[in-house]
Amino acid sequence: MLLEQGDVRLLQSDLAQRLLASTIPARFAYIAGDGTPRVLATWFHWTGELLAMPTFVAAPHVRHAAGRLRALRANPDVAITIDTETSPPEVLTMRGRVTIGEVDGIAPEYAAAARRYLGDEAAGAYLSAIDQPGTRMARIDLRPTWVGLLDFQTRLPSALGGIS
């Protein structure tokens, strides 16, 4: 049975699991405080239920809290894509509302993402350098309510005759 686009069970597919375990940054779209759209690349950690995208609120190496936090608190609706640069591309898209919680120190999900993106040795050095008194992070968590998956072989965009 081929699941329809939008079905969150698509997250259980081999393709989605591979993209969620990859070192490809998530492209994160939201509406900024001035009402215009923004997209940024960000590290993420998939917990099996939610996509955690921690960011800094305060730290010795941080000039100011991430600007997206205020905008996301006002308008938590977001869209995410994790996609390859191969041909044909493989694309995982998710939509939903984020929740934001703050933690003192380095968020465990940020540490897990650092190990995945940088490798254990480099992540260890990086994390010990930034885990200083006064470090505070915000967890931006997305529990997807809509999921899309394209591989341009068995799952095509609807404009190309694929599933909508």
Side-chain angles (χ1 to χ4, degrees):
M1 175 178 108
L2 194 60
L3 296 173
E4 293 289 322
Q5 297 288 41
D7 193 321
V8 296
R9 293 177 296 171
L10 287 169
L11 290 168
Q12 300 165 11
S13 71
D14 289 342
L15 175 56
Q17 290 296 303
R18 191 170 67 250
L19 291 169
L20 289 165
S22 74
T23 56
I24 301 167
R27 279 106 172 138
F28 176 60
Y30 67 99
I31 301 298
D34 65 2
T36 61
R38 299 282 194 281
V39 176
L40 58 89
T42 187
W43 284 359
F44 67 88
H45 176 72
W46 175 245
T47 70
E49 295 181 11
L50 56 87
L51 195 74
M53 300 164 286
T55 190
F56 289 96
V57 173
H61 70 289
V62 174
R63 291 188 314 241
H64 53 79
R68 63 186 173 270
L69 294 173
R70 184 179 321 202
L72 290 169
R73 285 183 175 114
N75 184 359
D77 296 317
V78 302
I80 307 282
T81 183
I82 304 166
D83 50 84
T84 65
E85 294 180 1
T86 59
S87 184
E90 297 175 322
V91 181
L92 171 64
T93 58
M94 295 174 271
R95 288 184 258 176
R97 301 187 119 207
V98 296
T99 58
I100 299 172
E102 294 189 16
V103 297
D104 288 324
I106 302 297
E109 297 81 6
Y110 188 80
R115 286 190 292 278
R116 192 173 85 252
Y117 284 97
L118 302 175
D120 287 333
E121 187 175 330
Y126 169 66
L127 293 168
S128 63
I130 63 171
D131 193 8
Q132 303 295 320
T135 297
R136 188 162 178 78
M137 296 194 84
R139 278 188 44 166
I140 302 169
D141 293 337
L142 172 66
R143 187 175 308 276
T145 57
W146 188 98
V147 175
L149 201 57
L150 302 172
D151 64 11
F152 289 85
Q153 294 173 27
T154 61
R155 299 188 70 86
L156 296 167
S158 61
L160 298 178
I163 49 182
S164 52

